[in-house]
């Protein structure tokens, strides 16, 4: 049997979407190894997989807790330092030595860590890039993931999308002109403007074609268009876009995932409709987080037919939510899949994994996007009619209650959720990722 390794971004939201494929490969007898920083060893072992430390010199044991508790300025400083450390690890050979020792038959690499994919190519290790977001390019008039724009259907719409891309790429070019001279003399403010040239140097060393580095992406990391890219989301949830060779939408919700124990199930009232609210595992990053959660508490408390489960996440300002009624169950983390199976509605941050899990389990959602790709995910929720979107700046209790009541009473939204959920479940049951993985392993053998 084969040795298969996963190297994902050091966040649960990037590891969790891979678990279904990993579990199926393990069940077929393959050895599955996760290459992640030490803090994820326990979680990966709990899911039944082998862990080997990776980037541990950059993310030593305990970094997750320290990072969550740090101030925003400290987190920014550490994040920039971590990015620079990853460049040094990729350039200095520690990544190559780790991969050589392991010698996997197939390596799955996070899109946001695709420098590791280039190192693997240099070593002759077959590699597939896994994208935990929708493909972040501009093919087919698709807006940047950072924006809430819908696909262009009219001349004015196409102009808005084009202006959004020009603003994003123009700001990136301006950042290069301002920051790179300081980076070059050792006063590193932000290593991101150096990534395109850094990736080009890695590509040249690995024999990867430079014309297959696509820089005009939502993220400041070039896409590797000559490598297979699998999207950990159903195609049916994306905007319509032209097909691309090498792109495959694969299974991504592991309904067997081992979740947090100790949830107070006895506090749930079966006579009330359950609203579940979570801003995800990165909630500590969001400055609007506590205010949004407070608005949801007040919105749900205003309707006696509802009960709320509120997962605050590891937010250092969670105490700002204040006192809550007895009908509100507040926890730091909830067993999300289990709660969603009992929920009538979900309030989330537009994180793609939360959107997918709510959709697969048939739960309409109110998205309150905070950052990153979340506005784009919220736009897809709107586009497909499976929920509503509320900007965090507009998150008052009255507005949240109105949207939740609209969702709760809308047969058309529930019908649309059921239809799209069925299409999503077809992808999950077909297991295209498992089939294609074993086809590739068969070719290698």
């Amino acid at each position: 049997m084969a040795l298969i390794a996963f190297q994902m971004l050091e966040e649960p939201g990037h590891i969790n979407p891979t678990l279904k494929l990993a579990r199926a490969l393990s069940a077929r007898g393959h050895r599955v190894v996760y290459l992640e920083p030490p803090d994820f060893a326990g979680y990966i072992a709990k899911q039944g997989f082998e862990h080997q430390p990776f980037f541990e010199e950059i993310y030593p044991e305990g970094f997750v807790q320290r990072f969550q508790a740090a101030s925003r300025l400290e987190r920014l400083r550490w994040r920039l330092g971590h990015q620079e450390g990853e460049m040094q690890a990729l350039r200095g050979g520690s990544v190559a030595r780790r991969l050589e020792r392991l010698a996997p038959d197939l390596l799955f690499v996070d899109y946001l860590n695709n420098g590791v994919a280039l190192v693997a190519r240099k070593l002759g290790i077959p590699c597939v890039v896994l994208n935990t977001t929708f493909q972040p390019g501009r093919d087919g008039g698709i807006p940047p993931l950072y924006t809430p724009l819908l696909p262009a259907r009219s001349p004015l719409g196409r102009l808005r999308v084009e202006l959004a891309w020009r603003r994003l790429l123009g700001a990136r070019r301006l950042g290069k002109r301002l920051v790179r001279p300081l980076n070059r003399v050792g006063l590193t403010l932000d290593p991101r403007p150096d990534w395109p040239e850094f990736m080009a140097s890695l590509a040249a060393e690995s024999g990867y074609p430079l014309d297959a580095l696509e820089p005009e992406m939502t993220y400041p990391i070039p896409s590797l268009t000559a490598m297979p890219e699998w999207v950990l989301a159903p195609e049916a949830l994306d905007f319509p876009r032209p097909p691309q060779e090498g792109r495959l939408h694969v299974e991504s919700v592991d309904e067997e995932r081992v979740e947090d124990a100790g949830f107070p199930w006895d506090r749930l009232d079966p006579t009330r409709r359950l609203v579940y609210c979570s801003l995800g595992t990165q909630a500590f990053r969001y400055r609007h987080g506590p205010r949004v959660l407070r608005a949801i508490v007040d919105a749900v408390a205003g309707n006696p037919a509802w009960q709320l489960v509120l997962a605050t996440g590891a937010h250092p300002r969670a105490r700002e939510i204040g006192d809550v009624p007895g009908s509100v169950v507040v926890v730091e983390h909830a067993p999300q899949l289990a709660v969603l199976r009992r929920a009538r509605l979900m309030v989330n941050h537009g994180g793609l994994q939360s959107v997918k899990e709510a959709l697969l389990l048939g739960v309409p959602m109110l998205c309150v996007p905070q950052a990153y790709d979340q506005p784009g995910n919220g736009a897809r929720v709107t586009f497909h009619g499976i929920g509503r979107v509320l900007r965090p700046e507009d998150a008052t209790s009255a507005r949240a209650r109105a949207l939740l009541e609209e969702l709760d009473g809308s047969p058309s939204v529930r019908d649309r959720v059921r239809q799209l959920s069925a299409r999503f479940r077809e992808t999950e049951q077909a297991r295209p990722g498992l089939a294609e993985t074993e086809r590739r392993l068969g070719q290698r053998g």
Side-chain angles (χ1 to χ4, degrees):
M1 290 289 103
L3 169 55
I4 302 168
F6 288 81
Q7 203 288 300
M8 303 303 291
L9 194 71
E10 58 285 345
E11 294 180 2
H14 286 247
I15 295 171
N16 284 345
T18 69
L19 294 176
K20 182 162 188 172
L21 175 58
R23 203 175 301 284
L25 289 167
S26 181
R28 295 289 179 95
H30 300 294
R31 178 186 171 195
V32 176
V33 177
Y34 275 85
L35 305 175
E36 299 295 336
D39 280 349
F40 293 91
Y43 181 73
I44 289 166
K46 184 168 71 172
Q47 302 305 325
F49 301 111
E50 181 181 344
H51 168 268
Q52 291 192 15
F54 201 83
F55 284 146
E56 65 269 29
E57 69 278 17
I58 308 165
Y59 306 100
E61 188 171 1
F63 99 91
V64 168
Q65 188 173 6
R66 292 194 299 271
F67 191 78
Q68 291 176 346
S71 67
R72 293 185 68 198
L73 182 61
E74 286 175 320
R75 290 202 302 268
L76 174 62
R77 178 171 58 82
W78 290 349
R79 181 169 59 84
L80 298 181
H82 293 157
Q83 290 172 346
E84 189 173 13
E86 289 185 17
M87 293 169 74
Q88 292 172 354
L90 291 163
R91 185 189 297 118
S94 64
V95 167
R97 289 190 292 273
R98 180 59 54 81
L99 293 178
E100 278 186 303
R101 286 197 297 271
L102 183 63
D105 297 295
L106 181 62
L107 175 66
F108 290 105
V109 174
D110 197 306
Y111 171 88
L112 296 181
N113 284 351
N114 61 13
V116 176
L118 291 176
V119 174
R121 179 187 173 94
K122 183 178 180 180
L123 298 173
I125 297 172
C127 189
V128 172
V129 174
L130 294 181
N131 201 334
T132 60
T133 68
F134 289 109
Q135 210 280 342
R138 60 195 302 182
D139 53 330
I142 301 299
L145 279 169
Y146 288 157
T147 75
L149 294 174
L150 297 176
R153 292 183 173 178
S154 66
L156 180 58
R158 288 192 292 272
L159 176 61
R160 286 175 176 162
V161 169
E162 180 61 25
L163 288 176
W165 276 108
R166 290 189 181 188
R167 282 195 299 270
L168 174 65
L169 299 174
R172 194 171 294 163
R173 286 191 291 269
L174 178 62
K176 279 188 179 183
R177 288 197 294 269
L178 295 177
V179 174
R180 285 185 65 198
L182 297 175
N183 290 353
R184 286 173 176 168
V185 298
L187 300 175
T188 303
L189 297 179
D190 187 348
R192 285 175 297 180
D194 294 331
W195 269 101
E197 288 75 12
F198 173 72
M199 290 287 289
S201 69
L202 280 183
E205 292 173 11
S206 70
Y208 183 85
L210 295 182
D211 61 357
L213 282 176
E214 174 52 63
E216 293 193 351
M217 312 298 286
T218 296
Y219 305 114
I221 301 173
S223 179
L224 306 177
T225 59
M227 282 194 177
E229 178 191 331
W230 296 1
V231 182
L232 291 160
E235 187 174 10
L237 184 55
D238 196 5
F239 294 143
R241 67 167 83 222
Q244 179 175 306
E245 186 177 357
R247 182 188 298 159
L248 179 68
H249 291 258
V250 302
E251 60 271 28
S252 61
V253 176
D254 178 24
E255 294 186 79
E256 299 177 42
R257 185 175 75 222
V258 180
E259 298 191 291
D260 295 328
F263 183 80
W265 294 105
D266 59 310
R267 291 190 56 194
L268 298 189
D269 183 349
T271 67
R272 294 186 176 192
R273 296 195 290 273
L274 183 62
V275 180
Y276 170 51
C277 175
S278 170
L279 301 186
T281 58
Q282 300 299 307
F284 65 92
R285 296 178 183 266
Y286 309 141
R287 64 188 180 93
H288 291 293
R291 189 177 60 80
V292 168
L293 294 178
R294 181 72 242 181
I296 300 302
V297 168
D298 292 340
V300 174
N303 187 325
W306 291 336
Q307 183 177 24
L308 176 65
V309 168
L310 185 75
T312 64
H315 203 300
R317 292 168 41 226
R319 62 184 181 279
E320 294 180 17
I321 298 169
D323 296 332
V324 301
S327 61
V328 176
V329 179
V330 179
V331 293
E332 187 170 294
H333 301 289
Q336 181 156 294
L337 293 171
V339 174
L340 281 172
R341 291 187 182 100
R342 298 178 62 163
R344 172 81 174 178
L345 301 168
M346 182 184 191
V347 180
N348 62 45
H349 56 307
L352 186 53
Q353 193 65 11
S354 289
V355 169
K356 289 185 300 181
E357 290 176 1
L359 174 62
L360 188 69
L361 296 174
V363 182
M365 68 200 84
L366 174 62
C367 294
V368 192
Q370 307 289 312
Y372 314 120
D373 62 330
Q374 297 162 20
N377 297 333
R380 286 160 173 80
V381 167
T382 298
F383 181 82
H384 291 291
I386 57 175
R388 298 289 183 265
V389 173
L390 175 63
R391 296 194 318 157
E393 299 87 346
D394 300 333
T396 63
S397 59
R399 182 61 180 151
R401 185 184 307 123
L403 289 171
L404 288 170
E405 288 177 345
E406 177 189 347
L407 288 171
D408 195 13
S410 173
S412 63
V413 170
R414 293 202 172 271
D415 285 345
R416 188 60 189 142
V417 168
R418 279 193 290 269
Q419 293 167 11
L420 202 58
S421 177
R423 293 175 62 189
F424 185 5
R425 194 163 287 281
E426 287 175 3
T427 298
E428 295 291 293
Q429 292 173 344
R431 298 181 182 268
L434 174 63
E436 180 62 15
T437 300
E438 295 207 308
R439 187 188 71 80
R440 288 175 176 274
L441 293 171
Q443 287 181 339
R444 182 174 171 81

